[in-house]
Amino acid sequence: MKISAKAGNDFKPIPAGPRPAICVGVIDIGIQGGRGEYDDRPEIVLMFELPGERLDYIKKDGTRIQGPRLISRRFRTSMFRKANLRKFVEGLRGHFSNDEAAEDFDLKDLLGQRMLLNIVHGIGADGRTFASAGEAMPLMASTDPATIKGESPLLYYSLAEPDADVAAALPQWLRDAIANRKEPQKKADAVEVWHDEAFATGMKVPATDAELDDSDVPF
């Protein structure tokens, strides 16, 4: 997900480079469309808190709020060897020995994990700089994970077992994405079947279908 400098009170983008981060959300948003040949694909969103980056802004009622900054990244729900999600996870834990090991990984295990998250800058069509979440890597050995303290609740949401309390705690854009998701097609194609099976077992995702490769998709 791209975070624009135009958001809210015209915040400056998060500085580029590796930043200590905590995974605070693993959210199943179902089958999403609108990306040309990549229409109708199941997606998840990973949310990250960056404790070292603070945000100070004024709410509509005039209340001044300060807190840690958050950034999110959308992924196709696939652990195929070239998929962006698998590359992201392997950046944290090392390469999986085979597809079966990748498929057996439970994304819920990412919740609360401390890491270095690479923040990448780009220029939008309006000429403004935006920040995106890039790849992740483990903390340096000299860094004690306990020193990276988070303030955000850990949110896990699966469409297979929806939790109304978790849904209510999600940002509005995520609630909208879930509400506007596409229904699976009637025919048993790869997108439909794999999505249903993946999230029925603790959000473990498939790792063997080359048609679900998203290595060239910047999400």
Side-chain angles (χ1 to χ4, degrees), residues 53-104:
E53 303 296 328
R54 308 294 294 179
L55 189 67
D56 190 3
Y57 66 99
I58 299 175
K59 296 174 65 176
K60 291 182 179 180
D61 62 3
T63 304
R64 183 173 292 276
I65 299 293
Q66 186 180 82
R69 299 193 73 168
L70 302 175
I71 194 167
S72 303
R73 184 172 174 185
R74 293 171 70 147
F75 295 88
R76 173 181 290 198
T77 308
S78 170
M79 288 291 270
F80 175 64
R81 63 182 179 276
K82 292 184 179 181
N84 286 335
L85 179 59
R86 178 159 168 177
K87 292 177 182 178
F88 185 90
V89 173
E90 288 182 331
L92 289 172
R93 65 170 307 281
H95 289 285
F96 291 102
S97 57
N98 51 48
D99 285 345
E100 288 71 24
E103 187 170 344
D104 195 48

Side-chain angles (χ1 to χ4, degrees), residues 27 153 155-157 162-172 174-175 178:
I27 312 299
L155 302 174
Y156 174 83
Y157 186 81
D163 186 313
D165 292 335
V166 173
L170 296 177
Q172 186 62 50
L174 277 175
R175 296 202 298 271
I178 293 170

Side-chain angles (χ1 to χ4, degrees), residues 29-33 35 38-41 43 74 177-178 181:
I29 60 173
I31 298 176
Q32 301 290 316
R35 295 180 178 83
Y38 295 102
D39 280 358
D40 300 345
R41 67 185 203 170
E43 294 185 3
R74 293 171 70 147
I178 293 170
R181 70 188 184 276

Side-chain angles (χ1 to χ4, degrees), residues 77-151:
T77 308
S78 170
M79 288 291 270
F80 175 64
R81 63 182 179 276
K82 292 184 179 181
N84 286 335
L85 179 59
R86 178 159 168 177
K87 292 177 182 178
F88 185 90
V89 173
E90 288 182 331
L92 289 172
R93 65 170 307 281
H95 289 285
F96 291 102
S97 57
N98 51 48
D99 285 345
E100 288 71 24
E103 187 170 344
D104 195 48
F105 181 78
D106 190 341
L107 294 180
K108 193 173 184 178
D109 292 342
L110 294 175
L111 278 178
Q113 185 164 345
R114 274 66 173 165
M115 66 190 74
L116 287 176
L117 183 67
N118 192 35
I119 303 299
V120 181
H121 279 183
I123 304 297
D126 59 0
R128 291 175 178 263
T129 300
F130 62 82
S132 300
E135 300 308 311
M137 63 197 81
L139 296 171
M140 293 186 294
S142 59
T143 302
D144 182 357
T147 63
I148 302 176
K149 301 183 182 297
E151 302 175 32

